[in-house]
Amino acid sequence: MKKLVLFDLDGTLVTTGGAGCRALVKGAEQLYGKKPQFEHALISGRTDLDNFTIIYGLLHKGKKPSAAEIKKMERAYLAQLPEEVHALVREKKYELFPGVAAFLKELSKEKDIVLALGTGNVEKGAFIKLAPSGLGKYFTVGGYGTDGHTREEMLKAAVKRAEKKYKTKFTPDQVYVIGDTHRDICAAKNCGFHSAVITTGLGDPKKILRAAAELEVKDFTEVAMLRVWLGLKTDPKGVKRGRYIMPASAIEHVFFSRTGIDEDRLKMLRIKKYSDLPSGTIM
């Protein structure tokens, strides 16, 4: 049975140091003659389509952009992005997350694993950001920032493209999402997909904790835990996956007594969708 593994980009595969944000600000200023003012957290973890809409609204008193304006903003953004990425490389601030190159190489050799992107970046922007890393060769398909305003739409688009390319139907239980913010986790769970989070990325630790990913790892050097989560290795502790968050604690009552997280989050270890909670949500 094949499994589809969807990777977020910024803060998950590579550190791009806010290059996308700066490119968006400069592109918008060039287009409209005004510099948008906002906190980076406003656009972090969203799709580019959503970000173009937000920034346009900030500069036009809440108005929504037309499809033509969105295209203009995308072109302006992409015109600025290469130089922003190159500047990071020159300043030695562009970095791969620890262990990611080896992990992708290892997964690419697994006959039942399909690798894909699940990123809020527009497709061309994603590969501009990935170019210095050499990781782009692992991703021939994906979901991108123009697939919708939400990460759920983007992830579902990635699955459809992978199904078409590999002529394989992926059920929700065969899809694994790796990201670094609570938005990655929430989108995965809302789609019924598996979720893992890189805790040293761009995400807010409190929101990540609240979102209840199946797996929490600091980076890709924790290969054993990632392989257990993907079902490629037997859990050495003999505990059924989903009964605890790896590797925070092997015994869930210890973890929850330490963190004080409420019962809703405890239930997320046993169910997949937020809609299955009595409240219908966890965030």
Side-chain angles (χ1 to χ4, degrees):
M1 180 178 71
K2 286 190 178 294
K3 296 175 182 179
L4 176 63
V5 188
L6 301 177
F7 288 82
D8 175 48
L9 195 161
D10 300 282
T12 301
L13 296 175
V14 296
T15 299
T16 53
C21 183
R22 289 191 295 275
L24 180 55
V25 168
K26 288 181 179 179
E29 186 175 17
Q30 186 180 61
L31 272 180
Y32 305 115
K34 295 181 288 184
K35 184 177 181 179
Q37 302 293 329
F38 60 95
E39 295 291 331
H40 184 262
L42 178 66
I43 64 171
S44 179
R46 297 181 184 273
T47 67
D48 275 349
L49 179 59
D50 205 29
N51 288 337
F52 296 152
T53 302
I54 289 170
I55 299 306
Y56 185 89
L58 289 176
L59 295 174
H60 297 86
K61 299 180 179 179
K63 291 182 179 179
K64 291 186 177 181
S66 64
E69 288 294 336
I70 289 289
K71 282 293 184 184
K72 284 169 58 177
M73 292 188 73
E74 181 180 346
R75 287 193 294 270
Y77 163 70
L78 291 173
Q80 299 290 333
L81 187 59
E83 176 52 34
E84 293 298 327
V85 173
H86 292 157
L88 284 176
V89 174
R90 288 196 302 269
E91 295 164 10
K92 297 183 178 180
K93 294 179 180 179
Y94 181 101
E95 298 178 343
L96 278 68
F97 268 71
V100 67
F103 183 61
L104 288 173
K105 183 177 181 180
E106 181 180 329
L107 286 189
S108 70
K109 295 176 182 178
E110 294 281 350
K111 62 182 179 63
D112 289 329
I113 293 290
V114 173
L115 302 178
L117 287 174
T119 174
N121 287 277
V122 297
E123 185 173 2
K124 187 175 180 181
F127 286 97
I128 289 172
K129 288 183 177 181
L130 280 177
S133 73
L135 301 181
K137 63 186 177 184
Y138 294 110
F139 304 107
T140 59
V141 70
Y144 304 101
T146 50
D147 287 320
H149 284 275
T150 69
R151 293 194 75 86
E152 287 86 348
E153 292 172 292
M154 175 271 292
L155 292 176
K156 288 176 182 178
V159 174
K160 286 183 179 179
R161 291 192 183 105
E163 288 178 335
K164 183 177 180 180
K165 179 176 177 63
Y166 293 97
K167 297 179 174 57
T168 299
K169 180 70 177 177
F170 294 102
T171 66
D173 199 50
Q174 292 171 267
V175 181
Y176 294 73
V177 176
I178 303 178
D180 69 304
T181 75
H182 71 285
R183 290 191 173 100
D184 295 296
I185 303 167
C186 289
K189 285 186 174 289
N190 286 334
C191 293
F193 303 155
H194 295 283
S195 58
V197 65
I198 302 299
T199 59
T200 52
L202 302 173
D204 180 316
K206 290 183 179 179
K207 290 181 178 180
I208 286 175
L209 192 66
R210 179 71 183 166
E214 290 178 340
L215 173 65
E216 298 174 356
V217 290
K218 70 178 188 301
D219 54 42
F220 294 95
T221 61
E222 298 190 47
V223 177
M225 304 310 296
L226 285 158
R227 288 184 67 83
V228 169
W229 175 66
L230 288 168
L232 300 174
K233 178 180 178 180
T234 302
D235 190 334
K237 297 181 178 64
V239 181
K240 183 179 178 182
R241 187 181 71 246
R243 293 289 294 177
Y244 62 97
I245 293 178
M246 302 177 289
S249 171
I251 306 173
E252 65 186 23
H253 73 81
V254 173
F255 178 77
F256 286 97
S257 65
R258 177 171 62 82
T259 61
I261 295 302
D262 61 32
E263 190 176 350
D264 259 3
R265 188 166 186 271
L266 178 59
K267 289 177 181 176
M268 286 311 304
L269 295 180
R270 302 188 181 95
I271 62 178
K272 292 189 67 176
K273 290 188 176 184
Y274 295 127
S275 57
D276 292 333
L277 292 171
S279 64
T281 184
I282 199 170
M283 297 303 290

